[in-house]
Amino acid sequence: EAQVTQNPRYLITVTGKKLTVTCSQNMNHEYMSWYRQDPGLGLRQIYYSMNVEVTDKGDVPEGYKVSRKEKRNFPLILESPSPNQTSLYFCASSYYRDRVYEQYFGPGTRLTVT
Amino acid sequence: LAKTTQPISMDSYEGQEVNITCSHNNIATNDYITWYQQFPSQGPRFIIQGYKTKVTNEVASLFIPADRKSSTLSLPRVSLSDTAVYYCLVGDFIPRDNYGQNFVFGPGTRLSVLP
């Protein structure tokens, strides 16, 4: 089954404790992204990746890091989480074919930083 | 990306056709229009994408007038399970070498389908 998986799905942590949210896709897509969703603000892109070892900042990259060492994986790293990073996080992978660009989103990771 | 404006919310009844309009006055020549659907606590799901005139697939139709400054997502005969938030995105989605893809989802339209 074609899918994007994220782990963990739920996480409660404390300020300053480094964490990683994993994202994996099995569709051989080149493009991957991370978003955060907050009430009243919609989805905002954090980082995106055009291919292995190619990443760039989205709208809200501060406090986050990413890496793309393999095509299928795109982990999101919070080196020193703060309460304002409490949010619902989505990973997406995407493809472009026949003049259509479609993103597939993961199930989300709900992060609480206390 | 072109800025988009959608109604914040809409109500409908089961079996009705629902039309959600998105305004994008500063759409660029290379921009496409894409709609996503999101259920609570789930990631958005691609519905449809178009450039001009009309596009139809198994779940929806997308109407784009000649000036392309707006677009309308049409959902035929909605059911309770169509209750969701619908997002309109406008942008040049074609990936190019070293060209970033910065997508912005606005607040969307919250559609409530009533029995």
Side-chain angles (χ1 to χ4, degrees), chain A residues 74-106:
Chain A
F74 190 43
L76 179 70
I77 304 156
L78 284 72
E79 294 272 2
S80 183
S82 62
N84 65 11
Q85 292 178 297
T86 292
S87 186
L88 179 59
Y89 291 86
F90 291 102
C91 178
S93 77
S94 45
Y95 75 91
Y96 176 74
R97 186 173 65 234
D98 297 332
R99 301 174 70 84
V100 173
Y101 182 81
E102 180 173 346
Q103 294 189 80
Y104 290 78
F105 284 81

Short mmCIF file of all heavy atoms in Angstrom, two decimals, chain A residues 74-106:
data_model
loop_
_atom_site.label_atom_id
_atom_site.label_comp_id
_atom_site.label_asym_id
_atom_site.label_seq_id
_atom_site.Cartn_x
_atom_site.Cartn_y
_atom_site.Cartn_z
N PHE A 74 12.86 11.22 5.54
CA PHE A 74 13.04 12.66 5.67
C PHE A 74 12.73 13.04 7.12
O PHE A 74 11.66 13.56 7.43
CB PHE A 74 12.09 13.38 4.71
CG PHE A 74 12.34 14.87 4.57
CD1 PHE A 74 13.61 15.38 4.46
CD2 PHE A 74 11.27 15.76 4.50
CE1 PHE A 74 13.84 16.74 4.30
CE2 PHE A 74 11.47 17.13 4.34
CZ PHE A 74 12.76 17.61 4.24
N PRO A 75 13.66 12.79 8.03
CA PRO A 75 13.39 13.07 9.44
C PRO A 75 13.41 14.55 9.78
O PRO A 75 14.15 15.33 9.17
CB PRO A 75 14.54 12.33 10.16
CG PRO A 75 15.64 12.29 9.14
CD PRO A 75 14.96 12.15 7.81
N LEU A 76 12.59 14.92 10.74
CA LEU A 76 12.53 16.29 11.26
C LEU A 76 13.16 16.29 12.65
O LEU A 76 12.77 15.50 13.51
CB LEU A 76 11.08 16.75 11.35
CG LEU A 76 10.85 18.15 11.90
CD1 LEU A 76 11.35 19.21 10.91
CD2 LEU A 76 9.36 18.38 12.20
N ILE A 77 14.12 17.16 12.84
CA ILE A 77 14.90 17.20 14.08
C ILE A 77 14.65 18.51 14.81
O ILE A 77 14.74 19.59 14.22
CB ILE A 77 16.40 17.05 13.77
CG1 ILE A 77 16.65 15.76 12.99
CG2 ILE A 77 17.23 17.08 15.07
CD1 ILE A 77 17.90 15.77 12.17
N LEU A 78 14.32 18.39 16.09
CA LEU A 78 14.20 19.57 16.94
C LEU A 78 15.34 19.47 17.96
O LEU A 78 15.31 18.66 18.87
CB LEU A 78 12.85 19.61 17.66
CG LEU A 78 11.65 20.03 16.82
CD1 LEU A 78 11.25 18.95 15.83
CD2 LEU A 78 10.47 20.40 17.71
N GLU A 79 16.37 20.28 17.75
CA GLU A 79 17.57 20.19 18.58
C GLU A 79 17.29 20.60 20.02
O GLU A 79 17.79 20.00 20.97
CB GLU A 79 18.67 21.08 18.01
CG GLU A 79 19.19 20.66 16.65
CD GLU A 79 20.34 19.66 16.76
OE1 GLU A 79 20.70 19.28 17.89
OE2 GLU A 79 20.87 19.26 15.72
N SER A 80 16.50 21.64 20.19
CA SER A 80 16.18 22.14 21.52
C SER A 80 14.73 22.62 21.52
O SER A 80 14.46 23.82 21.42
CB SER A 80 17.13 23.26 21.91
OG SER A 80 16.87 23.71 23.23
N PRO A 81 13.80 21.70 21.65
CA PRO A 81 12.38 22.05 21.53
C PRO A 81 11.95 23.10 22.55
O PRO A 81 12.43 23.11 23.70
CB PRO A 81 11.66 20.73 21.76
CG PRO A 81 12.67 19.68 21.50
CD PRO A 81 13.99 20.27 21.90
N SER A 82 11.04 23.94 22.12
CA SER A 82 10.46 24.94 23.02
C SER A 82 8.94 24.84 22.95
O SER A 82 8.38 24.27 22.00
CB SER A 82 10.91 26.34 22.61
OG SER A 82 10.45 26.63 21.31
N PRO A 83 8.25 25.37 23.95
CA PRO A 83 6.78 25.25 23.98
C PRO A 83 6.10 25.78 22.72
O PRO A 83 5.02 25.28 22.34
CB PRO A 83 6.40 26.06 25.22
CG PRO A 83 7.57 25.88 26.13
CD PRO A 83 8.78 25.91 25.22
N ASN A 84 6.69 26.77 22.05
CA ASN A 84 6.02 27.30 20.85
C ASN A 84 6.14 26.34 19.66
O ASN A 84 5.61 26.63 18.57
CB ASN A 84 6.55 28.69 20.48
CG ASN A 84 8.00 28.69 20.08
OD1 ASN A 84 8.61 27.64 19.89
ND2 ASN A 84 8.58 29.87 19.97
N GLN A 85 6.80 25.21 19.85
CA GLN A 85 6.84 24.19 18.82
C GLN A 85 5.80 23.10 19.07
O GLN A 85 5.75 22.11 18.34
CB GLN A 85 8.24 23.59 18.71
CG GLN A 85 9.25 24.60 18.17
CD GLN A 85 10.64 24.05 18.09
OE1 GLN A 85 11.25 23.69 19.11
NE2 GLN A 85 11.19 23.97 16.89
N THR A 86 4.99 23.30 20.08
CA THR A 86 3.84 22.42 20.30
C THR A 86 2.92 22.59 19.11
O THR A 86 2.46 23.70 18.82
CB THR A 86 3.12 22.79 21.60
OG1 THR A 86 3.97 22.46 22.71
CG2 THR A 86 1.80 22.03 21.73
N SER A 87 2.64 21.49 18.42
CA SER A 87 1.88 21.60 17.18
C SER A 87 1.57 20.22 16.64
O SER A 87 2.00 19.20 17.19
CB SER A 87 2.70 22.39 16.14
OG SER A 87 1.93 22.64 14.97
N LEU A 88 0.82 20.19 15.55
CA LEU A 88 0.55 18.96 14.80
C LEU A 88 1.43 19.01 13.56
O LEU A 88 1.34 19.96 12.77
CB LEU A 88 -0.93 18.88 14.43
CG LEU A 88 -1.39 17.67 13.62
CD1 LEU A 88 -1.09 16.38 14.36
CD2 LEU A 88 -2.89 17.79 13.34
N TYR A 89 2.26 18.01 13.38
CA TYR A 89 3.23 18.00 12.30
C TYR A 89 2.85 16.95 11.25
O TYR A 89 2.47 15.83 11.57
CB TYR A 89 4.62 17.68 12.83
CG TYR A 89 5.19 18.79 13.68
CD1 TYR A 89 4.91 18.86 15.04
CD2 TYR A 89 5.99 19.77 13.10
CE1 TYR A 89 5.42 19.88 15.81
CE2 TYR A 89 6.50 20.80 13.87
CZ TYR A 89 6.20 20.85 15.22
OH TYR A 89 6.70 21.89 15.98
N PHE A 90 2.96 17.36 9.99
CA PHE A 90 2.69 16.47 8.87
C PHE A 90 3.89 16.39 7.95
O PHE A 90 4.48 17.42 7.59
CB PHE A 90 1.48 16.94 8.06
CG PHE A 90 0.17 16.81 8.76
CD1 PHE A 90 -0.43 17.93 9.32
CD2 PHE A 90 -0.45 15.59 8.87
CE1 PHE A 90 -1.64 17.83 9.98
CE2 PHE A 90 -1.67 15.48 9.52
CZ PHE A 90 -2.26 16.59 10.08
N CYS A 91 4.19 15.18 7.55
CA CYS A 91 5.18 14.95 6.51
C CYS A 91 4.42 14.67 5.22
O CYS A 91 3.33 14.08 5.25
CB CYS A 91 6.06 13.76 6.90
SG CYS A 91 7.29 13.32 5.67
N ALA A 92 4.99 15.07 4.10
CA ALA A 92 4.34 14.80 2.81
C ALA A 92 5.40 14.40 1.79
O ALA A 92 6.52 14.90 1.82
CB ALA A 92 3.58 16.03 2.32
N SER A 93 5.02 13.50 0.91
CA SER A 93 5.86 13.22 -0.24
C SER A 93 5.05 13.50 -1.48
O SER A 93 3.81 13.45 -1.45
CB SER A 93 6.38 11.78 -0.23
OG SER A 93 5.37 10.88 -0.63
N SER A 94 5.72 13.83 -2.56
CA SER A 94 4.97 14.28 -3.73
C SER A 94 5.68 13.90 -5.02
O SER A 94 6.87 13.62 -5.05
CB SER A 94 4.76 15.80 -3.65
OG SER A 94 5.95 16.46 -3.28
N TYR A 95 4.88 13.94 -6.07
CA TYR A 95 5.41 13.64 -7.38
C TYR A 95 4.81 14.60 -8.40
O TYR A 95 3.76 15.22 -8.16
CB TYR A 95 5.10 12.20 -7.78
CG TYR A 95 3.65 11.98 -8.18
CD1 TYR A 95 3.23 12.10 -9.51
CD2 TYR A 95 2.71 11.67 -7.22
CE1 TYR A 95 1.91 11.92 -9.87
CE2 TYR A 95 1.38 11.48 -7.56
CZ TYR A 95 0.99 11.60 -8.89
OH TYR A 95 -0.32 11.42 -9.23
N TYR A 96 5.47 14.72 -9.52
CA TYR A 96 4.96 15.52 -10.62
C TYR A 96 4.93 14.63 -11.86
O TYR A 96 5.94 14.08 -12.27
CB TYR A 96 5.85 16.74 -10.87
CG TYR A 96 5.43 17.56 -12.05
CD1 TYR A 96 4.30 18.37 -11.98
CD2 TYR A 96 6.14 17.52 -13.25
CE1 TYR A 96 3.89 19.12 -13.06
CE2 TYR A 96 5.73 18.27 -14.33
CZ TYR A 96 4.61 19.07 -14.24
OH TYR A 96 4.22 19.80 -15.31
N ARG A 97 3.74 14.50 -12.42
CA ARG A 97 3.59 13.68 -13.61
C ARG A 97 2.40 14.15 -14.41
O ARG A 97 1.35 14.49 -13.85
CB ARG A 97 3.39 12.21 -13.21
CG ARG A 97 3.36 11.25 -14.39
CD ARG A 97 3.32 9.80 -13.93
NE ARG A 97 2.11 9.47 -13.23
CZ ARG A 97 2.09 8.94 -12.02
NH1 ARG A 97 3.21 8.72 -11.37
NH2 ARG A 97 0.94 8.64 -11.45
N ASP A 98 2.56 14.18 -15.70
CA ASP A 98 1.46 14.57 -16.61
C ASP A 98 0.86 15.92 -16.21
O ASP A 98 -0.36 16.08 -16.18
CB ASP A 98 0.37 13.50 -16.62
CG ASP A 98 0.87 12.17 -17.16
OD1 ASP A 98 1.82 12.21 -17.98
OD2 ASP A 98 0.34 11.12 -16.76
N ARG A 99 1.72 16.85 -15.85
CA ARG A 99 1.31 18.21 -15.50
C ARG A 99 0.45 18.28 -14.24
O ARG A 99 -0.30 19.23 -14.03
CB ARG A 99 0.58 18.89 -16.67
CG ARG A 99 1.44 18.97 -17.93
CD ARG A 99 0.64 19.51 -19.11
NE ARG A 99 0.34 20.92 -18.95
CZ ARG A 99 1.16 21.90 -19.27
NH1 ARG A 99 2.36 21.63 -19.77
NH2 ARG A 99 0.80 23.16 -19.13
N VAL A 100 0.54 17.24 -13.43
CA VAL A 100 -0.17 17.24 -12.15
C VAL A 100 0.85 17.04 -11.04
O VAL A 100 1.71 16.16 -11.12
CB VAL A 100 -1.24 16.14 -12.08
CG1 VAL A 100 -1.84 16.07 -10.66
CG2 VAL A 100 -2.34 16.41 -13.09
N TYR A 101 0.75 17.88 -10.01
CA TYR A 101 1.62 17.76 -8.86
C TYR A 101 0.76 17.40 -7.66
O TYR A 101 -0.14 18.16 -7.30
CB TYR A 101 2.36 19.07 -8.61
CG TYR A 101 3.32 19.01 -7.46
CD1 TYR A 101 4.59 18.47 -7.61
CD2 TYR A 101 2.96 19.48 -6.20
CE1 TYR A 101 5.46 18.41 -6.55
CE2 TYR A 101 3.82 19.42 -5.14
CZ TYR A 101 5.07 18.88 -5.32
OH TYR A 101 5.93 18.80 -4.26
N GLU A 102 1.03 16.24 -7.06
CA GLU A 102 0.18 15.76 -5.98
C GLU A 102 1.03 15.44 -4.75
O GLU A 102 2.06 14.78 -4.85
CB GLU A 102 -0.58 14.51 -6.42
CG GLU A 102 -1.50 13.94 -5.35
CD GLU A 102 -2.36 12.82 -5.87
OE1 GLU A 102 -2.45 12.65 -7.11
OE2 GLU A 102 -2.96 12.11 -5.03
N GLN A 103 0.57 15.92 -3.61
CA GLN A 103 1.24 15.63 -2.35
C GLN A 103 0.46 14.56 -1.59
O GLN A 103 -0.77 14.62 -1.51
CB GLN A 103 1.33 16.88 -1.49
CG GLN A 103 2.22 17.97 -2.07
CD GLN A 103 2.46 19.10 -1.08
OE1 GLN A 103 3.28 19.01 -0.18
NE2 GLN A 103 1.71 20.17 -1.25
N TYR A 104 1.19 13.61 -1.00
CA TYR A 104 0.61 12.60 -0.13
C TYR A 104 1.08 12.91 1.29
O TYR A 104 2.28 13.00 1.54
CB TYR A 104 1.10 11.20 -0.51
CG TYR A 104 0.55 10.69 -1.81
CD1 TYR A 104 1.06 11.13 -3.02
CD2 TYR A 104 -0.48 9.75 -1.83
CE1 TYR A 104 0.57 10.66 -4.22
CE2 TYR A 104 -0.98 9.26 -3.02
CZ TYR A 104 -0.45 9.72 -4.22
OH TYR A 104 -0.95 9.25 -5.39
N PHE A 105 0.13 13.03 2.19
CA PHE A 105 0.46 13.40 3.55
C PHE A 105 0.43 12.19 4.49
O PHE A 105 -0.37 11.27 4.31
CB PHE A 105 -0.53 14.45 4.08
CG PHE A 105 -0.29 15.82 3.53
CD1 PHE A 105 -0.75 16.18 2.27
CD2 PHE A 105 0.40 16.77 4.27
CE1 PHE A 105 -0.52 17.45 1.76
CE2 PHE A 105 0.64 18.04 3.78
CZ PHE A 105 0.18 18.37 2.52
N GLY A 106 1.30 12.26 5.48
CA GLY A 106 1.30 11.25 6.52
C GLY A 106 0.16 11.49 7.50
O GLY A 106 -0.58 12.47 7.39
#
